[in-house]
Amino acid sequence: MKIKEFLEKSGCEKNLCELMGRVIPQAIKKIRETIQSQSGELAGSKNASGEKQLALDVQSNQIVVDELKAFGLVESMASEELEGLVEGKKGAPFTVVFDPLDGSSLVDVNLAVGSIFGIYPAGNLIGKTGEDQLASCFAVYGSRLTLVLTVKKGTHEFRLNANGDFYLTKENLQIAPQSKYFAPGNLRAAAESDAYLKLTNDWIKRGFTLRYSGGMVPDINHILLKGSGIFSYPGYSKAPRGKLRLLFECAPMALLAEQAGGSATDGQNRLLSQKITELHQRTPIFVGSSEEVKHAGFALLKS
Ligand code: AHM
Ligand code: MG
């Protein structure tokens, strides 16, 4: 079943169906074309967090902004690549936040990368929480192009077919409470935190299988598709709140994980309850199998 038809059948509101089933898939297909035709050279500019941008980051960002503006469903948008809000169409129903190309430095070594989107009702984002999202999704540009989305009625996977449409491949993805896989991000933190070192050793001693690619999107996609696992990215002295952003990366992923029966915290507190105080705020993240996420929280408290 085509993505739009699936969303309509599931009772998704008309404008949200159009955004998730047509506008965002269109942007994703264009980003994939750009990834395939461009090299991963530096753009010579920096993003709002002061990180060097690749030409691909800038181009992917522009594709999303242009697509969102063209369809007139978005009042404002915010991107990991831009400082402030971008105006869309006055009176339109949604505010969309996105990371147009997460893990872009992996393109030149031909590993999987992704795009992440969070959808809010139109209006100010400051003071809201991830819980206020109406929907979220990510695309994985890997050996296939897949799209995993939620409109708060479960988490589902779609795949791009040769005819250029996304078709449903897996309905109602489920993350089991116990895990078999681990994806331990920012292991640099283990050099200074005995608790994080112990936690990762514990995963090893329990015989978990390592599945870490260096890209949060494919790593969390693995958890969703295999049905269990934990992805972690804690803070450390150089970056006390870690690297990943609440609005553009962690909250959309947290919503997808929860809708699949998993959970997501910053180590102690539920990520979707964390207040947005600034667009580019960072947060530690522990996401995936609920028992493992809880266990990680206890383990870190013992530091
Ligand atoms: P980016 O938004 O600059 O692409 O960085 C995000 C990526 C994540 O996909 C991944 O989990 C993380 O950076 C890995 O970072 P590092 O290797 O620096 O620990
Ligand atoms: Mg990113």
Side-chain angles (χ1 to χ4, degrees):
M1 195 187 307
K2 284 188 191 175
I3 187 167
K4 186 107 185 295
E5 192 189 340
F6 174 82
L7 290 170
E8 281 161 1
K9 279 206 171 132
S10 68
C12 171
E13 186 270 332
K14 197 172 121 275
N15 287 325
L16 192 57
C17 263
E18 185 72 3
L19 181 66
M20 302 300 285
R22 191 151 86 102
V23 183
I24 290 177
Q26 184 83 359
I28 286 167
K29 284 197 277 179
K30 289 193 177 173
I31 292 172
R32 204 234 343 218
E33 281 166 25
T34 306
I35 292 170
Q36 285 178 334
S37 60
Q38 305 283 318
S39 77
E41 69 206 18
L42 287 171
S45 50
K46 289 185 176 172
N47 69 11
S49 307
E51 297 156 345
K52 285 181 183 164
Q53 288 175 310
L54 299 184
L56 276 173
D57 291 317
V58 176
Q59 288 161 354
S60 305
N61 183 67
Q62 199 55 48
I63 288 171
V64 179
V65 169
D66 290 348
E67 288 298 318
L68 293 180
K69 278 190 174 174
F71 284 86
L73 287 169
V74 175
E75 189 195 61
S76 60
M77 53 201 109
S79 164
E80 184 181 298
E81 301 303 332
L82 300 168
E83 184 88 44
L85 282 176
V86 175
E87 300 284 312
K89 188 179 166 202
K90 258 212 171 78
F94 306 115
T95 291
V96 177
V97 300
F98 54 92
D99 179 352
L101 198 56
D102 185 72
S104 50
S105 66
L106 300 172
V107 167
D108 266 357
V109 290
N110 206 13
L111 282 169
V113 293
S115 300
I116 310 169
F117 298 84
I119 319 301
Y120 291 81
N124 195 357
L125 290 162
I126 306 302
K128 291 220 167 84
T129 67
E131 179 88 67
D132 292 313
Q133 289 174 104
L134 301 168
S136 72
C137 68
F138 63 75
V140 189
Y141 311 97
S143 37
R144 290 168 173 158
L145 175 51
T146 56
L147 201 174
V148 174
L149 68 69
T150 182
V151 291
K152 290 188 153 177
K153 293 171 198 271
T155 296
H156 318 286
E157 186 207 40
F158 301 84
R159 188 192 302 166
L160 189 73
N161 268 13
N163 65 6
D165 282 313
F166 283 92
Y167 282 82
L168 179 68
T169 34
K170 291 205 176 86
E171 194 173 352
N172 276 321
L173 297 168
Q174 292 295 318
I175 302 175
Q178 267 89 29
S179 170
K180 288 191 204 143
Y181 301 101
F182 72 129
N186 199 18
L187 275 180
R188 289 163 294 230
E192 58 186 50
S193 158
D194 281 345
Y196 193 46
L197 183 62
K198 269 193 195 145
L199 179 62
T200 47
N201 275 334
D202 180 58
W203 289 329
I204 293 168
K205 284 187 181 150
R206 287 163 63 202
F208 283 21
T209 300
L210 178 71
R211 284 293 177 266
Y212 187 77
S213 74
M216 180 178 64
V217 174
D219 288 340
I220 296 180
N221 185 59
H222 187 277
I223 295 173
L224 282 159
L225 271 296
K226 294 289 182 185
S228 84
I230 180 162
F231 171 86
S232 57
Y233 203 106
Y236 70 141
S237 56
K238 279 194 188 155
R241 300 289 294 163
K243 174 184 185 187
L244 302 170
R245 291 95 181 153
L246 176 64
L247 194 59
F248 307 116
E249 292 156 325
C250 298
M253 291 304 199
L255 184 63
L256 287 155
E258 283 200 6
Q259 285 289 319
S263 69
T265 71
D266 63 1
Q268 302 308 322
N269 300 309
R270 181 174 172 247
L271 267 184
L272 291 180
S273 302
Q274 205 180 121
K275 269 224 165 76
I276 298 156
T277 54
E278 48 179 306
L279 297 182
H280 294 271
Q281 89 199 58
R282 307 199 190 233
T283 180
I285 181 170
F286 295 82
V287 56
S289 294
S290 57
E291 288 301 320
E292 288 310 325
V293 171
K294 209 192 286 175
H295 171 74
F298 288 139
L300 293 175
L301 267 184
K302 287 188 200 146
S303 52

